[in-house]
Amino acid sequence: METDPESDDDLSYTFGIYVDDHPNTIIVVAEQSLDSSDSSDEPFSTDTLGRTRTSDSSGLSMQSGTSSMASVPIISGQSSQRKTERFGYLYKQGGVKANRGWRRRWVVFNGRDLRYYVNNRSQISRRVIPLACMKKVDTDVKDGDRTRFKFRLTTTLNDRVFLFAAEGLEDCLNWAQTLMAAISLHERNNNHMDNSDEPWMEDPDKEGYIKFENGPGGKKYYVSIRGSILCYYNNIEDYRMFSPIHEIKMELASVKDLSKCRLQLSTHYACFVLGFESAVEAQVWKMAIEDAIAQGLADDSVLLKVYENDSNRICADCEDDNPHWASINLGVVVCKKCAGIHRMFEANVSKIRSLRMDTRVWTPSLIELMKAIGNDNSNVFWEFDLSPEEKIVPESSMDERKQFITTKYKDKAHCRRHQSSADTRLLNEELLRVSATDELMNLVKIVFSGADIHYRKVGGEAQTAYQIAKSSGQRLLMEFLFQNGGDASSTDMGENNEGRLREDVRHQGYLFKTGPSHKSFDKRWCVLEHGSLTYYLTDKCVPTAQSHSTTAKDSIDRQSIHCIQETSVEKQQYAFDISTNKASNRMYLFAAENAGERNMWMQSLSKLICPVSIMEHVGMMEFSLGGNYYVKDNISEDWRKSWLMLSWRLLYYMDQNQKLETVDLRKASSIKYQEIQRGCRACTETGQHFVINAPNRALYIQADLVRDTERVYAVCEQAIKESGRTLQDQQLTSDNVPVIVNRCIDFITMSGLKSTGIYRESATNSRIQLLLDELKKDARGVKMEDFTCNEVANALKRFFRGLDDSLFTSDNYRDWINIAETVSDHSHKLGWYHFHLEKLPMINYNTLKKLVMHLHRVSQFSSENRMSQENLATCFAPSLMRTDNMECVTGMGSALALEMGVLTDIIKNHEYLLKVQEQERQKDDRMAMAENEIREKLKKQRMSAVIDSIIVSVYVHNTEEIFKVSSCDDVQSLMAAVKSKKNMNGQFMMSEMILEGSLERPLPLSELVLPVVTTWGTLEEDIRTNAKICMKNLETLQKLQSALDPSRALIGEVRFSEKKKFSKFFFQLKQGKLVCFKDSKGTHQLHSWNVEDMVIYLGIDSRRSGGKSSHGLTFIVKGEKCVRGYFGRSLCFTSEIEMLKWASVLLVAKHPEGILASFS
């Protein structure tokens, strides 16, 4: 009995996503069981075509307002609805006899056939009715019909009649007229179905019954494959009448084994589980499906290369024409039928791959191997004593093929074995000998004569044949041995995901290569495959009388690579080097023809050595350095091996959780070498490491080799310090403002707010340029005190003017000028300004905000400096609006006046235009108050202020000594002055003492003295009592040094006080931060302080209670105001040694160069 596709036992399908024929249309598909229904009886609704259906009071539905077609994923051909095509929802009577009830279906007639679907989102048709099978259409409308207007489609499919119904009379008549017109035209033209256009017609490539197991209970369908189309039918009768259920375009499909007798056919919208009677049948169908996919994809690039050996154009077994399958370990090309038999063998006998589909398998060396062996050479060995009558032919049956191919390859009944095959030891020795030569066919004979491919010679280096071929540079022999399991490490690695991913990394092409002496560059053919970079004289890899040998010049394994780094040498702009552990840590230098090619090689090489989790990410990035280094992002952590990569001025590394972290080197404050004794002991060579101090972290780095540490230090230092010609390519503060701008503004704020004519008065050109050059080399390291206010002010203006693009951006220059000239209404003008300011890049916006707030501040002192907002705008507008490379706008009035007007408006209305928050205003006010307080307090201190120096007291052995200290003198220079005056020898330290000596802070040698002393003026009277600087012996430092244990994690319960009383909390030093938790579980974080912002004192404010010990630390945070009555925050410990351990680690985290090196 015939089964109807609308019955309840049909298939269910999975979710999928596809892009239909309409641009920019994505549809999510959820295929449903076929017994579901999505019919709707709402009186008013809109279908997916945008056509609105309305109901009158009688319930009669008519279509109105048909709009242009929307997404119709299942229509073939043009997407617009023409007279010869139609689509929409209809009701269909289910069952062969139209007796299973009405179901709402999406129906499509494309001019060639009619198909119906569960809904308009489905891509799986329920039936395809070819036009050639349609006989006539009759309407079946009765007077009493109100909701369903029926028409009958009579077909030649066993004279079956399909009953459809529309929701409106007009729709019913239109459907009937469209179908009948197409039938009539087809009959008049005698247009019988063209088999070349309809893939489900005659002469399929493969046909037969297959069980679709993922339907309820499973069901057998008749399946045919022709070209790149697979169709399945209810039964063979439907197949003969050319009426499939559904067709699948195979170019977007894939197939894989689920078990010996089950396959999974996957499309972009559904998965089909196919069941077979036997493993042989499953493999035959799999190959037929793969052929259909390959034909759909039409990728014959590998096939054509293999066909360059003419003997590969006929099957090695049955001599059929145009074979497109290959046994990659045997080195033979076979037809589809013979490949089906090969697939039944174990992988060590034959490994079958498609020459059209399995593109990931076909490395350059494997393609060359197939060309070098060839079917003729192969059969000289495999069919040595085969009689002609035993040879199979293209017409041979599958049983005949199976017997012949099994006898030929598995039993080796006809091969010409090696003369040493009777003696296993001699055969294995011959294997090792031949592996160092270019005798490929001799190696083939030895391996298939029974040699042990993993045999190692007793004594010596004990290399396998594969290792010998690799070290000898025999590319094709190495590939043949690899495909036959000769590389044991690759076999092990290939069993996991990492091995498969590494195998997919391949690249080839010409590079310029120089030897260790770097005298000259020669062109070399380079091949990256199987985890190695190998280079040859040329790309002529098949040995002939005219070509070069296949012997490689050298090979670099991925295990030997430390890092890859771009470089530039004379006459080779696009060079890169590879640091290895080969041959006394050899450095290989290559060069590409252009930057893009160099980037491709560096990406491919890096994918070989980077963590698998970021291989895809690395393959898409442009970077100048990549490799494996030892890192830690906290002094108390252990060293760990990590991937490190520098892309522009961003440094990427893997954290402890193997996540890729980024350090913006533009914001790093310093980079310094550290003491050797604290370096990583796991490195191959003993040497220095260095630390990068960045916001919220201190990153320690060391390479296996000293030279690689020096090289990565050099490129990181350049990225940290140097400035480019754009705002984005500058050293930046944490607020994303160039450090050059920030330092100039801070200097003027501290020293030049009241300077007459600031930003207007000129300065010596050479001094301005000198300052600007030094700022561009390292803005953080310049001593601004060496320059005058006017020199700094002019340098700031020149910096803006010298950028490649202006602060306001050249793209928007005309808009700014246009607004200033044409918009007269002030509120409208500000609105336009606000709009364009919001469009500025983040760094431009933040820099402008910083500068405008500063200029507003300067204008507040206009009574003294004579610089009003208009005067400041006159000085800055040309530098901010335009650069030296831009021309002034002409024909738009006075451009300078307009530029001044823009900047003046922004300065006057900066709080609104630049969204100045209340806390920002308060911060600015506090800074102003602090500056005034410092000036006032300095007058009250026992020190005389002079222009660029102050008088300070230093206590040496309780004796007060007076010294004049300039604003640029640091602790080291003051200590030298004391030692010289007192004629003292030996090592000493200096400490800041406050609270009558109960708090002591060792002063780093590099710290400036002036800020230390002036800060006392901001403290309350009772706290700064007897504040002084003392010079003393190293006892305190030595205690700290002896207590330092970098390997110890700083974590534990500590008594803590912010005001008067102490309470127990849990503390941890983590990633450059001191973190306070409520309890030891670490789930409730209370506080977190950056160590670099902490000012740490030894001791506790004695006025606090509950400490139960005098052993403690006190710290304040830069920028925070102390709680009235108490100084800073205090940690109390049970013993002095415990206090020293915490203090030493915190001090080293703050000063990575070390305690003794930093303070004495």
Side-chain angles (χ1 to χ4, degrees):
M1 181 181 359
E2 184 178 4
T3 304
D4 186 76
E6 297 283 333
S7 61
D8 293 340
D9 59 349
D10 285 305
L11 299 173
S12 298
Y13 299 102
T14 59
F15 288 92
I17 295 177
Y18 76 101
V19 180
D20 72 352
D21 293 335
H22 305 285
N24 304 321
T25 304
I26 298 177
I27 299 174
V28 179
V29 180
E31 300 294 351
Q32 305 175 15
S33 299
L34 299 183
D35 59 352
S36 64
S37 176
D38 59 353
S39 60
S40 174
D41 296 323
E42 296 90 352
F44 181 91
S45 62
T46 302
D47 67 17
T48 56
L49 296 180
R51 302 179 300 189
T52 304
R53 298 190 298 272
T54 59
S55 299
D56 59 16
S57 58
S58 65
L60 180 63
S61 296
M62 301 291 290
Q63 290 185 355
S64 63
T66 303
S67 66
S68 61
M69 176 180 172
S71 175
V72 186
I74 37 73
I75 289 182
S76 307
Q78 298 296 321
S79 58
S80 60
Q81 188 170 4
R82 303 189 300 270
K83 292 182 179 180
T84 57
E85 300 178 358
R86 192 161 185 82
F87 50 84
Y89 275 109
L90 293 174
Y91 288 93
K92 178 187 172 297
Q93 184 75 277
V96 175
K97 298 181 180 181
N99 59 357
R100 293 204 176 184
W102 292 96
R103 291 180 181 173
R104 194 167 183 258
R105 294 288 181 249
W106 179 256
V107 184
V108 176
F109 178 66
N110 59 20
R112 299 188 310 275
D113 55 59
L114 182 142
R115 309 175 185 212
Y116 52 89
Y117 301 79
V118 172
N119 52 51
N120 70 329
R121 298 182 303 277
S122 174
Q123 290 198 91
I124 300 179
S125 60
R126 306 312 308 136
R127 186 71 181 238
V128 179
I129 307 172
L131 179 61
C133 297
M134 300 180 191
K135 294 171 64 176
K136 63 176 182 176
V137 182
D138 300 302
T139 58
D140 186 14
V141 180
K142 297 181 173 59
D143 291 340
D145 290 340
R146 289 293 182 269
T147 58
R148 289 178 183 160
F149 299 85
K150 298 183 284 294
F151 66 90
R152 299 176 184 274
L153 173 62
T154 305
T155 70
T156 60
L157 303 174
N158 290 333
D159 292 326
R160 179 175 173 183
V161 177
F162 293 85
L163 186 58
F164 296 95
E167 292 181 334
L169 177 60
E170 183 182 358
D171 195 23
C172 172
L173 296 176
N174 285 336
W175 268 104
Q177 291 170 2
T178 300
L179 292 174
M180 200 61 230
I183 294 171
S184 300
L185 181 63
H186 179 76
E187 290 176 348
R188 284 198 305 270
N189 296 336
N190 195 24
N191 186 19
H192 298 294
M193 298 191 72
D194 185 353
N195 291 353
S196 63
D197 292 335
E198 303 297 348
W200 56 79
M201 289 300 148
E202 300 173 350
D203 194 24
D205 300 318
K206 181 67 179 171
E207 61 180 305
Y209 276 102
I210 298 178
K211 184 177 182 180
F212 283 53
E213 294 189 351
N214 56 331
K219 179 180 175 181
K220 282 192 173 183
Y221 292 91
Y222 198 80
V223 180
S224 70
I225 297 176
R226 184 179 182 221
S228 61
I229 301 292
L230 180 148
C231 295
Y232 60 91
Y233 309 76
N234 268 315
N235 47 50
I236 194 170
E237 287 77 16
D238 281 359
Y239 162 69
R240 290 169 180 164
M241 290 184 288
F242 319 129
S243 181
I245 295 173
H246 181 56
E247 70 171 74
I248 302 173
K249 295 181 179 180
M250 301 300 288
E251 61 265 26
L252 299 178
S254 63
V255 63
K256 69 177 182 179
D257 294 301
L258 291 181
S259 64
K260 288 185 177 180
C261 299
R262 296 167 72 235
L263 301 176
Q264 178 174 295
L265 175 61
S266 300
T267 68
H268 55 291
Y269 54 86
C271 293
F272 305 85
V273 178
L274 311 178
F276 303 90
E277 297 292 335
S278 67
V280 174
E281 185 185 8
Q283 291 305 313
V284 171
W285 271 101
K286 182 180 180 183
M287 296 183 66
I289 292 171
E290 289 176 334
D291 274 346
I293 295 171
Q295 188 160 336
L297 296 173
D299 184 4
D300 287 342
S301 56
V302 174
L303 179 68
L304 295 176
K305 289 179 181 178
V306 173
Y307 275 3
E308 289 177 11
N309 184 324
D310 288 337
S311 68
N312 289 334
R313 295 178 177 270
I314 61 171
C315 175
D317 295 332
C318 72
E319 297 186 352
D320 197 4
D321 291 333
N322 303 317
H324 49 263
W325 294 85
S327 175
I328 57 176
N329 64 315
L330 297 175
V332 297
V333 181
V334 295
C335 68
K336 178 172 63 177
K337 294 178 180 178
C338 291
I341 305 301
H342 280 264
R343 267 215 166 128
M344 298 168 56
F345 299 148
E346 296 85 358
N348 64 326
V349 177
S350 183
K351 293 192 294 187
I352 287 292
R353 297 291 185 270
S354 171
L355 285 162
R356 284 175 162 176
M357 278 186 55
D358 300 318
T359 53
R360 292 171 58 185
V361 173
W362 293 103
T363 64
S365 292
L366 181 55
I367 294 172
E368 297 300 335
L369 178 67
M370 298 300 300
K371 292 163 58 178
I373 294 179
N375 286 352
D376 281 351
N377 289 333
S378 178
N379 280 337
V380 168
F381 170 75
W382 290 108
E383 299 181 358
F384 175 68
D385 58 4
L386 178 71
S387 59
E389 58 272 13
E390 293 180 278
K391 181 81 172 179
I392 59 174
V393 294
E395 295 78 20
S396 296
S397 68
M398 293 302 291
D399 288 339
E400 290 172 336
R401 288 176 195 275
K402 181 177 180 181
Q403 181 179 356
F404 173 78
I405 294 172
T406 302
T407 302
K408 178 178 177 180
Y409 296 106
K410 196 169 185 179
D411 300 338
K412 302 178 181 178
H414 309 293
C415 67
R416 183 181 185 179
R417 295 179 183 269
H418 193 272
Q419 60 268 27
S420 302
S421 59
D423 189 329
T424 303
R425 186 187 64 80
L426 288 178
L427 186 66
N428 290 337
E429 294 289 342
E430 187 67 7
L431 171 68
L432 300 183
R433 184 195 69 78
V434 171
S435 297
T437 70
D438 59 359
E439 302 173 21
L440 175 60
M441 292 312 301
N442 196 12
L443 180 68
V444 172
K445 181 186 292 187
I446 294 170
V447 170
F448 292 132
S449 294
D452 180 4
I453 204 165
H454 296 125
Y455 175 75
R456 297 173 185 266
K457 194 171 183 178
V458 178
E461 297 181 359
Q463 288 184 313
T464 64
Y466 176 80
Q467 292 168 334
I468 292 173
K470 193 170 187 178
S471 60
S472 302
Q474 297 298 333
R475 178 188 183 191
L476 299 188
L477 275 69
M478 186 177 78
E479 183 67 29
F480 174 77
L481 292 166
F482 178 86
Q483 296 298 342
N484 283 277
D487 182 10
S489 62
S490 177
T491 303
D492 296 337
M493 189 176 64
E495 295 176 357
N496 56 46
N497 190 50
E498 177 180 357
R500 289 190 292 272
L501 291 171
R502 303 290 190 201
E503 272 297 305
D504 286 343
V505 179
R506 59 186 68 130
H507 194 55
Q508 66 175 355
Y510 276 108
L511 287 173
F512 296 97
K513 169 76 180 63
T514 186
S517 61
H518 295 182
K519 288 184 178 179
S520 62
F521 280 84
D522 298 311
K523 204 171 186 180
R524 293 288 180 259
W525 180 253
C526 300
V527 179
L528 182 63
E529 61 186 1
H530 302 321
S532 298
L533 174 64
T534 309
Y535 56 93
Y536 306 83
L537 286 175
T538 71
D539 62 341
K540 306 297 182 182
C541 298
V542 180
T544 67
Q546 291 78 29
S547 70
H548 290 281
S549 167
T550 60
T551 303
K553 300 295 291 181
D554 198 358
S555 181
I556 309 170
D557 286 333
R558 73 180 188 88
Q559 291 89 348
S560 66
I561 298 176
H562 290 306
C563 59
I564 304 104
Q565 182 175 348
E566 71 176 32
T567 185
S568 181
V569 295
E570 187 178 358
K571 297 182 180 180
Q572 293 295 342
Q573 182 179 356
Y574 306 109
F576 65 94
D577 49 42
I578 305 173
S579 177
T580 74
N581 58 20
K582 288 188 60 177
S584 302
N585 300 324
R586 180 177 173 183
M587 179 83 77
Y588 289 82
L589 182 58
F590 294 89
E593 291 185 348
N594 54 63
E597 189 63 26
R598 175 174 66 181
N599 189 50
M600 284 290 296
W601 278 103
M602 291 183 64
Q603 287 174 343
S604 300
L605 288 165
S606 295
K607 287 170 69 175
L608 282 183
I609 62 174
C610 73
V612 172
S613 60
I614 60 170
M615 282 180 68
E616 184 177 357
H617 187 72
V618 170
M620 296 186 294
M621 289 189 62
E622 292 186 12
F623 52 92
S624 58
L625 176 144
N628 290 298
Y629 297 80
Y630 289 95
V631 305
K632 59 178 180 176
D633 44 18
N634 193 308
I635 189 172
S636 61
E637 290 180 359
D638 294 329
W639 289 95
R640 65 180 185 276
K641 204 70 174 282
S642 169
W643 175 255
L644 204 70
M645 183 167 58
L646 182 64
S647 177
W648 185 53
R649 299 177 75 167
L650 300 178
L651 184 66
Y652 295 84
Y653 74 100
M654 303 292 286
D655 67 8
Q656 290 178 312
N657 299 318
Q658 292 302 296
K659 293 182 179 179
L660 202 61
E661 291 284 340
T662 307
V663 178
D664 190 342
L665 295 182
R666 295 173 300 173
K667 298 181 181 180
S669 59
S670 65
I671 178 172
K672 297 179 181 178
Y673 274 116
Q674 304 294 292
E675 300 172 5
I676 292 179
Q677 56 267 33
R678 292 204 185 91
C680 178
R681 297 179 181 178
C683 291
T684 305
E685 295 179 347
T686 301
Q688 287 183 305
H689 66 286
F690 62 90
V691 60
I692 296 174
N693 289 305
N696 301 325
R697 79 188 74 195
L699 186 63
Y700 296 78
I701 301 172
Q702 186 172 354
D704 266 305
L705 306 179
V706 171
R707 70 162 184 235
D708 292 338
T709 303
E710 294 172 349
R711 286 157 59 82
V712 71
Y713 178 92
V715 294
C716 287
E717 182 181 40
Q718 183 179 8
I720 289 171
K721 293 183 177 181
E722 290 190 1
S723 298
R725 293 183 56 84
T726 66
L727 278 177
Q728 287 69 31
D729 200 14
Q730 306 291 324
Q731 289 178 291
L732 297 178
T733 67
S734 58
D735 296 327
N736 289 303
V737 174
V739 175
I740 290 178
V741 175
N742 201 63
R743 293 214 63 192
C744 290
I745 288 176
D746 287 350
F747 182 82
I748 297 298
T749 300
M750 288 295 296
S751 307
L753 284 180
K754 297 182 181 181
S755 178
T756 302
I758 190 68
Y759 291 119
R760 185 182 63 212
E761 295 294 329
S762 61
T764 305
N765 181 66
S766 60
R767 292 284 295 170
I768 298 170
Q769 193 60 47
L770 174 64
L771 172 58
L772 193 56
D773 291 343
E774 290 190 12
L775 286 169
K776 287 182 177 180
K777 289 178 182 177
D778 181 13
R780 291 186 176 91
V782 176
K783 289 188 175 182
M784 304 295 288
E785 296 80 6
D786 292 345
F787 297 87
T788 67
C789 290
N790 287 334
E791 289 168 351
V792 173
N794 281 274
L796 180 60
K797 291 190 295 181
R798 186 174 295 185
F799 165 75
F800 284 116
R801 195 167 58 250
L803 294 172
D804 284 344
D805 194 10
S806 66
L807 184 63
F808 281 80
T809 71
S810 56
D811 290 341
N812 294 318
Y813 178 78
R814 289 183 176 274
D815 293 331
W816 288 107
I817 298 301
N818 214 7
I819 294 167
E821 185 176 43
T822 62
V823 180
S824 57
D825 184 85
H826 183 67
S827 60
H828 288 172
K829 182 179 291 187
L830 292 184
W832 278 110
Y833 286 160
H834 188 273
F835 171 75
H836 283 287
L837 287 170
E838 289 291 313
K839 289 169 57 178
L840 289 176
M842 178 183 63
I843 295 177
N844 294 57
Y845 184 91
N846 291 348
T847 304
L848 180 62
K849 185 175 184 178
K850 175 83 174 179
L851 179 63
V852 166
M853 290 179 68
H854 168 68
L855 296 179
H856 172 71
R857 181 79 181 284
V858 173
S859 69
Q860 291 178 321
F861 294 86
S862 60
S863 60
E864 298 172 79
N865 59 34
R866 302 183 184 278
M867 293 299 293
S868 64
Q869 292 176 345
E870 290 76 11
N871 291 340
L872 290 167
T874 303
C875 295
F876 268 97
S879 300
L880 303 184
M881 302 289 289
R882 290 180 279 115
T883 66
D884 289 340
N885 300 323
M886 292 175 57
E887 293 183 0
C888 186
V889 174
T890 58
M892 298 180 65
S894 172
L896 179 58
L898 295 172
E899 292 166 355
M900 291 164 49
V902 171
L903 189 55
T904 302
D905 286 341
I906 292 176
I907 296 174
K908 288 181 177 179
N909 301 278
H910 71 280
E911 291 190 355
Y912 161 70
L913 292 174
L914 296 169
K915 299 179 181 178
V916 178
Q917 303 295 325
E918 180 63 28
Q919 56 265 33
E920 292 179 285
R921 284 195 295 268
Q922 292 177 356
K923 181 180 177 181
D924 203 41
D925 292 340
R926 286 197 303 269
M927 290 179 62
M929 290 175 61
E931 292 159 12
N932 291 330
E933 282 185 21
I934 290 174
R935 294 187 182 96
E936 294 299 323
K937 295 290 183 181
L938 282 173
K939 295 177 182 178
K940 299 178 181 179
Q941 291 294 317
R942 212 168 56 78
M943 49 186 92
S944 325
V946 292
I947 295 177
D948 276 324
S949 62
I950 58 175
I951 303 299
V952 300
S953 297
V954 178
Y955 289 80
V956 184
H957 304 307
N958 295 322
T959 303
E960 181 181 16
E961 300 290 342
I962 304 299
F963 292 90
K964 181 180 179 181
V965 178
S966 71
S967 57
C968 59
D969 282 337
D970 54 22
V971 171
Q972 187 172 12
S973 61
L974 178 59
M975 192 185 301
V978 174
K979 290 170 69 175
S980 176
K981 181 177 180 180
K982 301 285 290 183
N983 196 22
M984 300 169 63
N985 296 316
Q987 286 187 305
F988 297 90
M989 63 175 287
M990 280 191 168
S991 292
E992 174 193 4
M993 313 292 286
I994 61 175
L995 277 173
E996 298 183 339
S998 60
L999 297 183
E1000 175 185 359
R1001 180 170 76 95
L1003 295 174
L1005 298 178
S1006 59
E1007 186 165 350
L1008 296 176
V1009 178
L1010 178 61
V1012 175
V1013 178
T1014 55
T1015 300
W1016 297 341
T1018 66
L1019 302 177
E1020 296 179 21
E1021 185 69 29
D1022 56 341
I1023 294 178
R1024 66 169 182 267
T1025 303
N1026 295 324
K1028 58 188 177 183
I1029 294 177
C1030 296
M1031 182 166 162
K1032 52 192 293 191
N1033 59 34
L1034 302 182
E1035 181 181 359
T1036 303
L1037 294 183
Q1038 289 167 346
K1039 285 182 179 181
L1040 289 167
Q1041 181 65 40
S1042 62
L1044 178 63
D1045 184 3
S1047 63
R1048 177 195 176 190
L1050 207 59
I1051 183 170
E1053 189 177 68
V1054 181
R1055 299 185 71 84
F1056 174 66
S1057 171
E1058 286 190 285
K1059 294 184 180 179
K1060 182 177 181 181
K1061 294 184 178 181
F1062 283 85
S1063 300
K1064 288 184 178 180
F1065 294 97
F1066 197 78
F1067 280 80
Q1068 181 181 7
L1069 179 62
K1070 183 179 181 182
Q1071 294 185 345
K1073 292 184 177 181
L1074 182 63
V1075 185
C1076 175
F1077 298 96
K1078 186 175 181 180
D1079 52 41
S1080 59
K1081 294 180 181 179
T1083 56
H1084 186 186
Q1085 180 177 313
L1086 300 176
H1087 304 287
S1088 176
W1089 303 280
N1090 292 328
V1091 175
E1092 64 179 17
D1093 294 332
M1094 296 168 58
V1095 182
I1096 301 169
Y1097 294 82
L1098 306 180
I1100 297 176
D1101 187 341
S1102 59
R1103 296 169 296 176
R1104 286 191 163 107
S1105 62
K1108 298 184 179 180
S1109 170
S1110 60
H1111 306 300
L1113 302 176
T1114 298
F1115 66 90
I1116 59 174
V1117 178
K1118 295 177 182 177
E1120 286 188 4
K1121 196 169 184 178
C1122 294
V1123 177
R1124 186 171 183 83
Y1126 299 96
F1127 182 75
R1129 301 173 175 88
S1130 294
L1131 303 174
C1132 183
F1133 303 92
T1134 56
S1135 65
E1136 182 184 22
I1137 187 62
E1138 189 68 15
M1139 180 273 289
L1140 290 171
K1141 286 180 179 179
W1142 278 75
S1144 60
V1145 174
L1146 288 171
L1147 287 173
V1148 172
K1150 185 174 175 64
H1151 305 284
E1153 58 273 16
I1155 293 176
L1156 293 176
S1158 299
F1159 298 94
S1160 66

